[in-house]
Amino acid sequence: MTHSAAPQHQAPMTSGARSPAVGTNHGAIFTGDTTVQAPLVLPPPADVSTPHGMHNLPRPVGHRFVGRAAEMAALEQALQPRNERAATHVVTQAISGLGGIGKTTLAMHFAHTHRTDYTAVWWIDAETLETITSSLAQLTARVNAGTNTSSAPSADLAEWALTWLDTHPGWLLVFDNATHPDHLAPYLARLTSGDHLITSRLTYGWHDLGATPLHLDVLAPTAATSLLYQLTRSDPNSEASAAQELADELGYLPLALEQAGAYIRRTRNTYSAYLHRFRTQAARMLNTPGNGDPHSITIARTWRVTLDTIAERDPLAVHLLRVMAWLAPHDIPRDLLNGIADEPDADTDALALLNDFSMITLTESTSAMHRLLQALARTPDAQDPHRSDTAISQAQSTAATLIHDALPDAPETNTAGWPRWRALLPHIDAYLTHTHPETDTAETDWILYSASRFLRGQGRLSQATQYAHRSAATSARINGEDHPDTLASRNNLASAYASAGDLGRAIPLYKQTLNDSIRVLGEDHPDTLASGNNLAGAYASAGDSGRAIPLYEQTLTDSIRVLGEDHPDTLASRNNLAYVYASAGDSGRAIPLYEQTLTDRIRVLGEDHPDTLASRNNLAYAYRSAGDSGRAIPLYEQTLTDSIRILGEDHPKTRIVRDNLREARSKSG
Ligand SMILES: Nc1ncnc2c1ncn2[C@@H]1O[C@H](COP(=O)(O)OP(=O)(O)OP(=O)(O)O)[C@@H](O)[C@H]1O
Ligand SMILES: [Mg+2]
């Protein structure tokens, strides 16, 4: 090694023509220190051969790598280790995804598996520009083992490493945990003969670097459960279903599984016990290190850093995340979130930012958020500025407003609104599950009431009853026992009982509601008429035509007087009256009444209205009861075709028509 008389004021360069260390023949590196130091001289990079099997991979974690076969195959396909082209090309692959999803672990597994397929494998901590530099400096130190490089500036050593890499093709560089594509751009641009594998929470910007992106999702259920078994060192046959349930509850997120597994093992707990604790205090468990070391990484801490960065850029994005926490994790309709900001497109920008950092997964029409992130974002924590009590309750009430405003009207009959209902229901269910009934507001009440009507119409009776019950209780608490909304809710609850065939509960509740309606709203109020109509219907279902017929007749007369001949409720009354006539065997009265109602409904509601279909089905039934299969069967056939088209194959009313047609055919044949 020679000493050169380097001027002390010359600053060390990290790149560019003036860099003294790179590609120069003299091979000198100058320090930028003001004290005189013996400058380090390294040989020209091209002259230094690769130490055999060189790598700096950390040892793999203690437990076995699970799952990820498809992802490994994708990496192998893209990077093609062992392929000669590594010598002349650069291939860049990025793995992105939520914190704790297993990006580093996958990259590590790939690097270990293919270590001998590369001339060298170097792991670079890519969190900051400094860590990248220092990881590359270590490469220089390794290649020049035997030379003390500790006195040289990292930047110069890193520069030497780059030239060395460029003159020794066939390597793999792993840039782990990159926080910005710009940090890597200078390196990727310079290196032209090897494979780059990048891991980052960022989904954005990799394309511009010429990288193929791979977005990592959670583990497959079997892989997740097998990871739990390994971590707890338990017998896969013991508590198998509890282990599966726990893996599911943790959303198959590796970091969460690892934290839970370590905790279970250390505390000698069972899966079920952990599951119970998790269900009652998810956020606390997410903040509890599995190994008992208060400094070790937890889920909560992992995500906190990302949230800090996002909040700095756009506080609305964090609010949006807290709002989505109250919905179902998957298939959140993006248009549901439109109303969140006053400014147009502010929600789009916020969603894009969350997606950039893998906090959500965005498609053109939906957004998804990991369930553990949701659990965390719903739980207040005084230590965490993103999770103050106020911010969380604000988000909860925003979520309710968004759902409330998105509900289509006339849930039973407005078939155009049904796809929307189907898209909203999982989110309504999630919101209601996460919200304590005692905190239900008027908005929540409306959601409960409307959803229960939709569910009842679709034949999902147990949930319909449950929501109707909660709505009746909420309305009584908020509005008072005698409020019209409370009466309407009770009427709806009685209908849910009746639809489920529970007339023992339905009839007394209808009676009470009818009496209350008469007292509070008056004899002629449309709600009172509807209550009378419903009670008569319940009598009819109970086979009590003695009570049903006079009540229907009375209601029909009142409806005509109050609402008019053509009001849909009047038509319903007429249809119902015809139904009891038919049930009582009085086809002479039933048929003309049905025929009239059908004509009126076609005129007033249209050919395709669900009530019109019901009229057709009923009329066919009356023909059949009168022994007239010649008219019954074709009418059933037409109604079935229409029902399938309008209501769907599996709608309860379609099923009724199908059964009726089958029976009519078997009787006539
Ligand atoms: N396929 C796997 N098999 C076994 N364990 C895994 C697997 N994937 C992840 N893990 C475990 O889960 C934990 C989190 O994974 P990892 O550190 O790779 O996540 P990450 O996506 O890199 O997170 P971050 O964004 O915070 O860097 C690790 O401790 C790892 O041991
Ligand atoms: Mg990582």
Side-chain angles (χ1 to χ4, degrees):
M1 193 176 292
T2 56
H3 293 260
S4 80
Q8 291 164 27
H9 59 266
Q10 184 163 357
M13 307 295 296
T14 54
S15 63
R18 285 195 295 156
S19 175
V22 179
T24 54
N25 290 327
H26 57 74
I29 289 182
F30 303 102
T31 75
D33 297 341
T34 45
T35 51
V36 181
Q37 268 188 11
L40 170 68
V41 177
L42 290 172
D47 296 351
V48 185
S49 60
T50 314
H52 182 69
M54 184 182 91
H55 78 89
N56 71 334
L57 296 179
R59 277 202 308 160
V61 283
H63 53 80
R64 213 161 38 87
F65 181 82
V66 300
R68 304 296 194 206
E71 289 84 354
M72 276 295 283
L75 293 182
E76 277 154 3
Q77 169 78 23
L79 295 174
Q80 298 192 0
R82 253 174 301 186
N83 188 317
E84 292 302 312
R85 83 197 171 120
T88 49
H89 284 75
V90 63
V91 181
T92 308
Q93 169 75 46
I95 306 172
S96 64
L98 179 65
I101 202 115
K103 303 176 292 293
T104 297
T105 309
L106 176 62
M108 182 94 76
H109 185 67
F110 178 86
H112 272 290
T113 309
H114 293 288
R115 215 181 67 200
T116 53
D117 299 333
Y118 290 101
T119 52
V121 176
W122 206 251
W123 190 269
I124 295 169
D125 175 356
E127 183 151 5
T128 64
L129 283 170
E130 288 70 33
T131 57
I132 297 175
T133 306
S134 116
S135 299
L136 286 170
Q138 283 158 24
L139 184 150
T140 300
R142 174 71 68 84
V143 175
N144 294 286
T147 306
N148 182 0
T149 52
S150 59
S151 61
S154 294
D156 295 353
L157 295 172
E159 193 54 41
W160 191 95
L162 290 175
T163 313
W164 182 85
L165 286 164
D166 221 19
T167 46
H168 294 76
W171 38 258
L172 169 70
L173 290 187
V174 183
F175 290 90
D176 183 43
N177 202 14
T179 47
H180 203 290
D182 287 356
H183 290 174
L184 307 194
Y187 300 101
L188 302 196
R190 275 208 33 202
L191 296 171
T192 52
S193 57
D195 284 352
H196 299 284
L197 182 56
I198 302 164
T199 85
S200 176
R201 292 183 189 172
L202 267 183
T203 58
Y204 174 82
W206 303 117
H207 252 305
D208 299 343
L209 290 185
T212 318
L214 170 72
H215 192 69
L216 205 55
D217 205 342
V218 294
L219 288 172
T222 45
T225 318
S226 115
L227 181 56
L228 265 185
Y229 288 140
Q230 287 186 49
L231 291 162
T232 54
R233 313 248 164 102
S234 63
D235 172 7
N237 297 317
S238 72
E239 274 211 298
S241 70
Q244 281 157 22
E245 220 178 312
L246 177 57
D248 183 69
E249 184 77 29
L250 297 174
Y252 310 112
L253 185 78
L255 182 57
L257 293 160
E258 190 160 64
Q259 207 173 301
Y263 184 90
I264 289 168
R265 179 151 175 257
R266 194 169 72 88
T267 56
R268 294 178 172 73
N269 234 319
T270 58
Y271 293 122
S272 327
Y274 187 91
L275 194 59
H276 176 73
R277 287 196 65 181
F278 193 84
R279 283 190 175 144
T280 45
Q281 35 190 332
R284 210 181 122 219
M285 299 313 281
L286 291 175
N287 216 4
T288 305
N291 58 8
D293 172 359
H295 301 295
S296 79
I297 290 172
T298 65
I299 294 273
R301 268 175 234 158
T302 295
W303 293 334
R304 170 71 193 274
V305 189
T306 308
L307 282 174
D308 287 343
T309 313
I310 294 173
E312 222 168 80
R313 296 213 200 158
D314 183 2
L316 177 69
V318 185
H319 176 57
L320 194 55
L321 201 66
R322 280 187 296 255
V323 170
M324 281 191 276
W326 294 91
L327 308 175
H330 298 290
D331 293 324
I332 302 171
R334 283 181 63 165
D335 56 8
L336 180 64
L337 307 169
N338 277 347
I340 202 158
D342 298 334
E343 279 171 62
D345 293 336
D347 59 300
T348 309
D349 294 339
L351 284 173
L353 183 62
L354 291 170
N355 186 63
D356 286 349
F357 283 90
S358 301
M359 296 307 259
I360 61 168
T361 307
L362 210 54
T363 71
E364 252 171 49
S365 56
T366 64
S367 163
M369 172 176 177
H370 195 276
R371 51 183 305 162
L372 297 190
L373 186 54
Q374 289 187 311
L376 202 72
R378 283 193 309 266
T379 315
D381 180 349
Q383 311 297 316
D384 185 342
H386 309 302
R387 294 193 282 139
S388 72
D389 244 330
T390 335
I392 286 180
S393 19
Q394 231 170 39
Q396 181 179 10
S397 104
T398 305
T401 307
L402 294 176
I403 295 174
H404 175 274
D405 294 353
L407 299 178
D409 57 7
E412 296 93 345
T413 52
N414 171 15
T415 50
W418 289 1
R420 183 62 161 171
W421 270 110
R422 294 198 183 98
L424 288 175
L425 267 183
H427 306 291
I428 293 174
D429 292 346
Y431 179 82
L432 294 172
T433 307
H434 299 316
T435 307
H436 197 282
E438 274 164 26
T439 65
D440 283 346
T441 61
E443 260 177 354
T444 317
D445 179 28
W446 180 251
I447 297 170
L448 285 162
Y449 176 72
S450 311
S452 111
R453 287 172 57 190
F454 175 73
L455 289 163
R456 176 160 52 84
Q458 302 293 317
R460 292 173 55 181
L461 300 175
S462 100
Q463 206 172 17
T465 309
Q466 193 196 326
Y467 287 175
H469 200 275
R470 185 161 159 183
S471 158
T474 303
S475 184
R477 177 172 54 77
I478 298 178
N479 306 310
E481 295 282 341
D482 279 349
H483 192 278
D485 289 355
T486 307
L487 301 183
S489 266
R490 288 213 180 103
N491 188 51
N492 180 50
L493 175 59
S495 298
Y497 289 145
S499 300
D502 186 353
L503 299 171
R505 279 204 168 96
I507 291 179
L509 190 54
Y510 272 140
K511 266 194 200 160
Q512 184 203 328
T513 318
L514 176 59
N515 289 337
D516 292 344
S517 280
I518 294 172
R519 177 172 52 82
V520 177
L521 306 169
E523 292 269 359
D524 283 351
H525 193 278
D527 287 2
T528 307
L529 299 179
S531 279
N533 190 52
N534 289 342
L535 176 58
Y539 286 143
S541 303
D544 186 353
S545 10
R547 280 203 168 89
I549 292 180
L551 190 50
Y552 267 141
E553 285 173 340
Q554 170 76 53
T555 320
L556 178 57
T557 314
D558 293 344
S559 290
I560 293 172
R561 180 173 47 82
V562 177
L563 305 171
E565 284 278 356
D566 280 351
H567 191 280
D569 288 0
T570 307
L571 300 180
S573 279
R574 197 175 279 131
N575 180 67
N576 293 345
L577 179 57
Y579 175 81
V580 258
Y581 287 151
S583 311
D586 188 351
S587 313
R589 271 179 155 150
I591 291 179
L593 200 50
Y594 269 141
E595 285 173 338
Q596 186 198 335
T597 318
L598 176 57
T599 313
D600 292 344
R601 276 185 165 163
I602 292 173
R603 180 173 45 81
V604 176
L605 305 172
E607 284 278 358
D608 283 352
H609 192 280
D611 288 355
T612 310
L613 298 182
S615 273
R616 283 215 181 86
N617 173 66
N618 291 344
L619 178 57
Y621 177 79
Y623 287 152
R624 208 194 91 199
S625 306
D628 187 353
S629 316
R631 280 209 275 186
I633 291 177
L635 188 52
Y636 271 137
E637 284 169 344
Q638 185 201 335
T639 315
L640 181 58
T641 311
D642 292 344
S643 297
I644 291 172
R645 175 174 52 85
I646 297 160
L647 308 174
E649 282 277 357
D650 285 337
H651 192 276
K653 292 199 167 135
T654 308
R655 273 185 257 144
I656 290 173
V657 180
R658 197 180 282 121
D659 291 348
N660 286 344
L661 173 59
R662 195 177 300 126
E663 212 167 300
R665 279 179 178 151
S666 79
K667 290 268 161 60
S668 79

